Amino acid sequence: MAPSASEGPTVTAQPFTATVTGSPRIGPRRELKRATEGYWAGRTSRADLESVAATLRRDTWSALAEAGVDSVPVNTFSYYDQVLDTAVMLGALPPRVAEVDDELDRYFAAARGTDTIQPLEMTKWFDTNYHYIVPEIGPDTRFALDATKVLAELTEAAEVLGRDVAARPVVVGPITFLLLSKAVGGAGAPIDRIDELVPLYTELLGQLADAGADWVQFDEPVLVTDISADAPALAERVYTALGSASKRPAIHVATYFGDPGDGLAALARTPVEAIGVDLVAGGKTALAQVGAVPELREKTLVAGIVDGRNVWRTDLEAALATLATLLGSAQTVAVSTSCSTLHVPYTLAAETDLDDSLRSWLAFGAEKVTEVIVLARALRDGRDTVADQIAASDAAVAARKTDPRLRNEQVRSRIAAITGAGTQRGAAAARREAQDARLKLPPLPTTTIGSYPQTSAIRKARAALRSGEIDRAEYDRRMKAEIADVITLQEELGLDVLVHGEPERNDMVQYFAEQLDGFFAPQNGWVQSYGSRCVRPPILYGDVARPHPMTVDWISYAQSLTDKPVKGMLTGPVTILAWSFVRDDQPLADTANQVALAIRDETVDLQDAGIAVIQVDEPALRELLPLRDAAKDAYLRWAVAAFRMATSGVSDATQIHTHLCYSEFGEVIGAIADLDADVTSIEAARSHMEVLDDLNAIGFSNSVGPGVYDIHSPRVPGAEEMVESLREALQAVPAQRLWVNPDCGLKTRRTDEVTASLTNLVAAAKEARAGL
Ligand code: GLN
Ligand code: ZN
């Protein structure tokens, strides 16, 4: 490679041509999950945990090298989270974990807490379903470099890979790290401390060079967001400084999850040797940017052309055409995934239940690596050398386009008709009157969010059904017994609007996906969600249709046991999309409407079965919000439209509830009002007044249930404390509009905690009613 452009040192490193941005680490059979959970529970020794981890790292690296990747990312392994790893590397763990002597235990204490230590917060990694640990930067945070982990993985990788394949350490970049951190203890914005991190990252570069690294990758996905308007300028300043380090590997700055915008030109003006662009999420605008930045011609462009986040097979013909247009834009074009394959399952090979045509449309992690290699080879040796693979890809693309499962004309025309007729329910006042007359609830009605504790009996029954030990009829009988128990409990507690407890649901999205046409639920498609927790998102591949009612039998059964109203419980269209792998051949809005139609049909069937209250959960409304401000309105418009499609098929007398798992509404607050649910239950971790004032400020005038019981903690709140919350709430919202409920579903709690807490909740509601 040519010497770097600026005054800095001469860096000579072989350019690479085929790589991935990062790899999953939980293990193809969730080995790391089992080992860490075993370690936490005291069942697995430290040595066994470390050996499982080492094996997973080795397998990941060898698989990449064997596939033909010529630069293997390392340090993408993590016992919990890469942002937490970075906090450790920078000496930025909060003082409260310092009391834990052992390093690994301290790390886990920061991630999960202990009996005496509050864990750090966790939040979604950009617009993915992966959660990172939010570093806390306080006035006393003293940054200091400890590169032990990355250096150890580099050494270990060199042993596995030998001399032939270069290992490329991956580290979260300083701008992303600070912009994702939160200020605590009255400290200023963490990003104001960027100048303290530059010398540490410079030192890191020196240590990596000494350890033999030719390349390093700094991840700066924050450049594709509008979190800070200063990010491009900061990137230019920081990477100019890092680029002039006296001793360093070649630097690759990876952006992903969208179009880096001005960030691309800013990075290109610095001495870094390679820049990564997500050509999938960044789309045409990112592609145009690449051509428009002349400084890129002296760099390696790491072209993220294979989708690292979704499960669709790459159209190799189209990808190659795109890559061809980039050849003049950079000195070297390296083929890569759009982002880390952390976000997709390991391999299609583990799916035995998949029909051949559907299989031919998909690519999981391992298959994506192969796609990268094929594309890199085509660029290097010519298209003819991979003609067979391209022909297979063309055939799959063609077959997918014409597969009958992709179009259900009846669904499409029904949606057009409903949209044309309008999805506005009757006036809120008329609805209220009709519902009051039907439900005859006391003021400050009490209810819960849906799920009751997932008892071991429930888990055992599910496992027994899966293994064939019991049949469907026996399983249903056991679930009904659970439902009966939950109804009895709620009657004894004196709750006003009951729920069936959701025992039959393994997961609030998968349960519906398994029953709808257009979805496939992988058996082994596990993806890390946070720490040791994994999810198995269903694949939404075709037009969605509902062959039969999905919840009516269960809810009707629950309703048959009581005179109190039982709430039907459904998951909303936005949340179903957010927690699935969604088809990429039509706008999300169209897919959302199809899911919404299925939910709408379910609400109508519930209503016909005599159910008077139906809750449509949308906990993911906020998380699908686009990363760029300019795209947010359009998203919120279709998200609200889909919810209304789902909920406007019922009569005025049917009460629609929705539930959101947060009260930091921010940019979605207007959309929450536009959902026009009769009752919205929300979290209220902040004071009730604040939450309700925010809603009042935008003219929200329907009913609201700010959670008075924090279910995220095992603590049983006292009645007095809940009365106090209600008094506070009543200052912001009149009694006619106020509901009393916990802040989320109860499935993660124990029955004794729930019973005690709900006893207090009902007592608190009674006391507050008496004071009206
Ligand atoms: N109805 C669901 C439950 O109670 C809601 C879950 C959620 O908010 N994520 O479990
Ligand atoms: Zn919730």
Side-chain angles (χ1 to χ4, degrees):
M1 162 171 287
S4 305
S6 84
E7 338 68 57
T10 302
V11 173
T12 44
Q14 274 299 317
F16 54 89
T17 60
T19 193
V20 292
T21 312
S23 306
R25 59 248 181 160
I26 202 74
R29 279 168 296 278
R30 291 181 294 161
E31 291 87 341
L32 187 62
K33 172 194 178 68
R34 238 161 278 140
T36 41
E37 288 177 356
Y39 176 71
W40 295 336
R43 289 191 307 266
T44 305
S45 70
R46 167 74 64 95
D48 285 347
L49 171 60
E50 287 174 349
S51 131
V52 166
T55 304
L56 287 173
R57 288 193 292 265
R58 210 158 291 157
D59 291 351
T60 301
W61 299 329
S62 335
L64 289 171
E66 271 162 35
V69 159
D70 60 359
S71 174
V72 171
V74 303
N75 198 42
T76 60
F77 173 82
S78 180
Y79 278 113
Y80 206 96
D81 165 52
Q82 71 272 11
V83 179
L84 181 59
D85 295 340
T86 314
V88 171
M89 183 188 87
L90 297 172
L93 286 187
R96 68 176 177 281
V97 302
E99 68 182 62
V100 184
D101 283 333
D102 178 81
E103 236 173 288
L104 185 62
D105 292 342
R106 194 184 318 133
Y107 175 84
F108 286 138
R112 325 168 49 231
T114 66
D115 288 347
T116 52
I117 298 172
Q118 273 277 104
L120 278 75
E121 266 176 36
M122 184 168 75
T123 194
K124 297 253 167 187
W125 176 242
F126 298 89
D127 55 354
T128 74
N129 261 327
Y130 175 80
H131 302 67
Y132 71 94
I133 298 287
V134 184
E136 296 176 6
I137 309 298
D140 300 326
T141 305
R142 297 278 164 270
F143 294 117
L145 182 69
D146 174 0
T148 314
K149 174 178 183 286
V150 50
L151 290 171
E153 283 190 34
L154 180 61
T155 310
E156 199 184 351
E159 280 162 21
V160 174
L161 298 171
R163 292 177 157 275
D164 301 338
V165 186
R168 182 181 85 245
V170 177
V171 177
V172 175
I175 302 170
T176 295
F177 177 79
L178 287 178
L179 283 175
L180 295 188
S181 294
K182 100 178 203 190
V184 296
I191 193 65
D192 294 346
R193 298 183 63 178
I194 187 75
D195 289 335
E196 294 173 50
L197 290 194
V198 172
L200 268 59
Y201 275 79
T202 303
E203 196 183 332
L204 173 68
L205 288 169
Q207 292 186 14
L208 290 172
D210 286 342
D214 289 333
W215 281 93
V216 61
Q217 171 179 326
F218 290 126
D219 281 359
E220 293 287 13
V222 82
L223 289 171
V224 311
T225 74
D226 288 328
I227 293 176
S228 162
D230 299 333
L234 272 175
E236 185 163 355
R237 189 156 68 75
V238 166
Y239 285 98
T240 298
L242 296 180
S244 60
S246 60
K247 186 196 248 175
R248 67 169 176 87
I251 298 174
H252 163 35
V253 181
T255 71
Y256 45 82
F257 298 148
D259 175 5
D262 295 342
L264 182 63
L267 286 173
R269 287 190 292 267
T270 74
V272 304
E273 282 74 17
I275 300 172
V277 179
D278 183 335
L279 297 171
V280 180
K284 290 206 170 64
T285 57
L287 200 60
Q289 291 275 351
V290 168
V293 176
E295 291 87 348
L296 259 182
R297 284 183 213 134
E298 283 155 39
K299 317 261 180 218
T300 293
L301 170 70
V302 183
I305 191 88
V306 170
D307 195 344
R309 267 183 76 173
N310 210 335
V311 293
W312 306 105
R313 179 179 188 155
T314 304
D315 177 344
L316 294 178
E317 196 89 70
L320 198 53
T322 302
L323 290 171
T325 67
L326 297 173
L327 286 177
S329 315
Q331 189 178 62
T332 304
V333 173
V335 181
S336 181
T337 51
S338 62
C339 61
S340 170
T341 56
L342 175 69
H343 309 289
V344 292
Y346 270 77
T347 173
L348 270 177
E351 298 304 321
T352 47
D353 240 13
L354 199 51
D355 71 75
D356 286 346
S357 54
L358 185 46
R359 181 184 298 275
S360 77
W361 309 341
L362 299 172
F364 288 178
E367 294 77 28
K368 288 173 189 295
V369 174
T370 308
E371 292 178 337
V372 164
I373 299 303
V374 169
L375 289 168
R377 179 139 179 239
L379 281 191
R380 191 186 60 222
D381 302 333
R383 186 190 185 283
D384 290 350
T385 60
V386 292
D388 289 353
Q389 287 93 327
I390 293 183
S393 160
D394 287 348
V397 169
R400 184 172 166 205
K401 278 201 181 111
T402 55
D403 192 284
R405 292 175 291 182
L406 262 58
R407 283 191 74 86
N408 179 326
E409 297 308 333
Q410 200 200 348
V411 163
R412 287 172 185 254
S413 57
R414 283 192 60 212
I415 288 173
I418 295 169
T419 316
T423 53
Q424 173 75 48
R425 295 188 72 201
R431 277 153 38 200
R432 178 183 300 276
E433 203 175 308
Q435 293 162 19
D436 285 351
R438 180 174 181 190
L439 293 168
K440 301 190 180 62
L441 295 170
L444 307 181
T446 53
T447 191
T448 53
I449 306 304
S451 58
Y452 270 71
Q454 285 267 330
T455 59
S456 63
I458 297 176
R459 273 192 290 268
K460 268 192 207 130
R462 222 188 314 282
L465 176 69
R466 226 178 302 129
S467 71
E469 192 186 307
I470 60 170
D471 62 7
R472 189 88 222 176
E474 171 61 13
Y475 174 79
D476 288 358
R477 199 191 59 72
R478 293 194 194 176
M479 292 302 121
K480 283 188 169 172
E482 291 287 336
I483 291 172
D485 285 351
V486 168
I487 294 289
T488 307
L489 173 65
Q490 294 172 89
E491 291 209 304
E492 281 167 9
L493 289 166
L495 287 152
D496 299 308
V497 173
L498 313 193
V499 297
H500 78 298
E502 306 180 21
E504 80 289 9
R505 301 187 189 177
N506 40 1
D507 174 279
M508 66 187 285
V509 169
Q510 197 178 352
Y511 177 77
F512 292 96
E514 279 171 358
Q515 302 188 66
L516 289 167
D517 291 346
F519 280 92
F520 170 74
Q523 293 162 290
N524 293 298
W526 295 102
V527 177
Q528 188 178 16
S529 172
Y530 62 87
S532 67
R533 199 177 138 75
C534 299
V535 293
R536 230 175 352 170
I539 297 172
L540 194 176
Y541 65 88
D543 276 5
V544 175
R546 190 193 68 139
H548 49 71
M550 303 179 283
T551 65
V552 176
D553 285 351
W554 297 116
I555 307 294
S556 302
Y557 173 69
Q559 184 66 82
S560 75
L561 303 173
T562 176
D563 295 332
K564 299 252 176 94
V566 174
K567 218 170 10 174
M569 198 55 63
L570 304 171
T571 303
V574 178
T575 299
I576 289 183
L577 254 54
W579 297 346
S580 301
F581 290 117
V582 181
R583 63 192 291 183
D584 60 352
D585 58 347
Q586 66 178 21
L588 277 179
D590 295 356
T591 308
N593 270 334
Q594 295 183 356
V595 176
L597 180 64
I599 301 298
R600 178 188 181 97
D601 287 347
E602 190 74 15
T603 61
V604 172
D605 283 348
L606 283 167
Q607 172 178 276
D608 291 349
I611 301 302
V613 183
I614 301 169
Q615 179 171 307
V616 179
D617 291 325
E618 281 294 20
L621 181 70
R622 193 181 58 178
E623 74 186 53
L624 269 199
L625 202 63
L627 298 174
R628 290 286 188 196
D629 292 343
K632 289 177 180 168
D633 274 352
Y635 158 70
L636 289 171
R637 237 173 293 126
W638 71 249
V640 167
F643 184 87
R644 286 182 169 227
M645 162 77 74
T647 53
S648 61
V650 293
S651 73
D652 282 1
T654 296
Q655 188 169 69
I656 296 289
H657 289 218
T658 191
H659 167 68
L660 311 163
C661 293
Y662 45 85
S663 63
E664 304 281 353
F665 310 112
E667 296 159 301
V668 303
I669 190 161
I672 289 169
D674 290 344
L675 296 178
D676 196 28
D678 298 303
V679 182
T680 302
S681 64
I682 49 174
E683 195 189 281
R686 298 179 298 154
S687 91
H688 288 77
M689 291 291 272
E690 268 181 275
V691 170
L692 298 171
D693 284 348
D694 287 351
L695 285 170
N696 285 342
I698 56 141
F700 183 90
S701 56
N702 291 350
S703 296
V704 56
V708 290
Y709 154 27
D710 172 15
I711 67 93
H712 302 93
S713 143
R715 192 176 153 269
V716 174
E720 262 325 300
E721 172 182 339
M722 292 194 256
V723 172
E724 195 39 51
S725 296
L726 289 174
R727 283 205 188 107
E728 223 189 353
L730 282 165
Q731 288 174 44
V733 163
Q736 303 83 309
R737 294 211 282 117
L738 191 64
W739 282 64
V740 182
N741 47 257
D743 65 3
C744 199
L746 303 169
K747 73 169 158 237
T748 57
R749 294 269 65 92
R750 289 200 324 248
T751 305
D752 57 334
E753 293 161 2
V754 163
T755 308
S757 300
L758 293 179
T759 302
N760 293 347
L761 181 142
V762 172
K766 285 195 177 133
E767 191 175 333
R769 269 173 215 158
L772 290 178

